[in-house]
Amino acid sequence: MSPQTVTITIDPAAAAAPFEQVRTQIADQARDGALPVGYKLPTVRGLAEDLGLAANTVAKAYRALETDGVIETRGRNGSFIAAAGEAADKEAAAAAEGYARRALRLGLDHGAALAAVEDALRATYRTDA
């Protein structure tokens, strides 16, 4: 993949929905630096046409990416890769704090709360860690 070029491949046989494939691939490329901060993404219609998807599918992926802080939309100027590292860290910390408070209210001790998180991470990341 050349720098500063969004490359997305949709696998119709994949378990993940096409919008999730778009979301994941853009997020991964932003995270690994293939799409640098400030990179202007293709328009929703343009990317949908290139990928053979409905515009609503790409729009749903862009909305999810914006919610996650990976991209920012600047009205008619388009959508751009955001400086997501800090935003992602803050959102993860807030989610972790919310989980910790909820686990405490449920009466879980530290070990049980941590075990639940580790189980969820293993299932989500599909690892044996």
Side-chain angles (χ1 to χ4, degrees):
M1 167 178 10
S2 63
Q4 299 193 16
T5 301
V6 65
T7 303
I8 298 171
T9 304
I10 301 300
D11 178 0
F19 93 89
E20 181 61 21
Q21 293 180 52
V22 172
R23 188 204 64 74
T24 300
Q25 290 178 50
I26 291 174
D28 289 349
Q29 291 174 47
R31 185 175 38 259
D32 71 16
L35 296 177
V37 171
Y39 174 81
K40 185 175 182 180
L41 292 167
T43 64
V44 167
R45 285 184 185 174
L47 185 57
E49 185 175 305
D50 290 347
L51 297 175
L53 298 173
N56 285 340
T57 300
V58 175
K60 184 175 181 179
Y62 276 25
R63 283 191 305 273
L65 288 162
E66 190 166 24
T67 297
D68 293 345
V70 175
I71 69 171
E72 59 187 14
T73 301
R74 302 176 190 161
R76 292 192 171 273
N77 291 322
S79 296
F80 299 82
I81 299 297
E86 187 175 314
D89 289 345
K90 286 180 180 177
E91 187 170 338
E97 181 180 353
Y99 168 76
R101 291 180 189 281
R102 176 82 173 152
L104 183 62
R105 282 194 308 271
L106 292 170
L108 298 178
D109 65 19
H110 182 272
L114 186 57
V117 168
E118 289 172 340
D119 288 345
L121 288 171
R122 269 192 297 279
T124 301
Y125 287 91
R126 292 176 179 30
T127 65
D128 294 326

